[in-house]
Amino acid sequence: MLTWLRDLPPGWFALLALVENAALVGVTALLGHWVLRLPGAHRVTAPPGPVSRLELGLVAGATVLNTVVTVAGWWLWRAGVITFTLPLDWRAPADLAVLVVVMDVLLYAGHAAAHVRWLFPYAHRLHHVFADARPITLFALHPVEVLGFGGAWLVVLAVHPFSVWALGAYTVLNLLFGILGHLGVEPLPQRVRAGAVFRWVATPAMHAGHHATPRYNLGFYTTVWDRLFGTLDPHYDARRTGALPFADTTAIEIPTAPPAG
């Protein structure tokens, strides 16, 4: 399979990458719609209205730019700058853990930088136009953010020869966190999200809460950095454990001006 991909003509690989990235958007929409229909989900943000042309345009642009990143990664792989290991052994889960930790740090740092007052209007404010998130809002990003995340991802892959199995697992994990974080609901039962694991692993309500109140919950996979740097919603743990109902969330904050810090 890898040999076949390596030997593909550039045009055919670009077409394959475009189909793959478009399929990921489709899977996001379908899986998100399915999760939203599960019983017992608690709404965290207001229900989103109809999909706007702006949102569809941003999603289409992100799909094209993600294709560009995919093709760039393919070129770097063919050139030997990015390499992978193939055996399915102990290194696969170890590499997956490293990828999650490293990308969690980079995502938090990049997200915190995007919310700096003087930077916010130039790119990230566009994503926060959609305060009431839906699954495809995951891809409704400014082009600079799409290329920034993609570039950071390629740099990480170039630094270390990660297991191809870890790469695949991380891709699935990243997509799942993205879908769940943009549902606008908390689908996990209270007894599950109140567990010790979810004190540190972000629940779907965490990122949905960020869309409601952008100054809080800047992390993506974990709550570690928000807790460390004081950016976790003060009510997050109370809502996570059931001490405070989700119905008591504060009013939706639509950022008409850049948030502080």
Side-chain angles (χ1 to χ4, degrees), residues 22-39:
L24 287 177
V25 175
V27 168
T28 296
L30 291 173
L31 184 56
H33 179 70
W34 175 76
V35 175
L36 283 172
R37 298 181 66 181
L38 293 176

Side-chain angles (χ1 to χ4, degrees), residues 147-215:
L147 294 176
F149 175 80
W153 172 240
L154 295 181
V155 169
V156 169
L157 294 183
V159 169
H160 175 76
F162 287 98
S163 162
V164 70
W165 302 98
L167 176 63
Y170 172 80
T171 301
V172 172
L173 188 69
N174 181 64
L175 186 65
L176 286 175
F177 268 85
I179 293 171
L180 294 173
H182 289 87
L183 290 173
V185 303
E186 176 55 84
L188 295 176
Q190 179 184 323
R191 65 180 181 277
V192 174
R193 65 177 187 267
V197 169
F198 286 101
R199 173 174 171 79
W200 304 106
V201 176
T203 70
M206 182 176 167
H207 191 74
H210 172 70
H211 275 264
T213 312
R215 67 170 60 91

Side-chain angles (χ1 to χ4, degrees), residues 56-83:
L56 288 176
L58 290 173
V59 170
T63 302
V64 172
L65 291 177
N66 281 329
T67 300
V68 171
V69 172
T70 303
V71 173
W74 178 71
W75 276 108
L76 292 171
W77 173 55
R78 285 180 43 154
V81 177
I82 292 176
T83 58

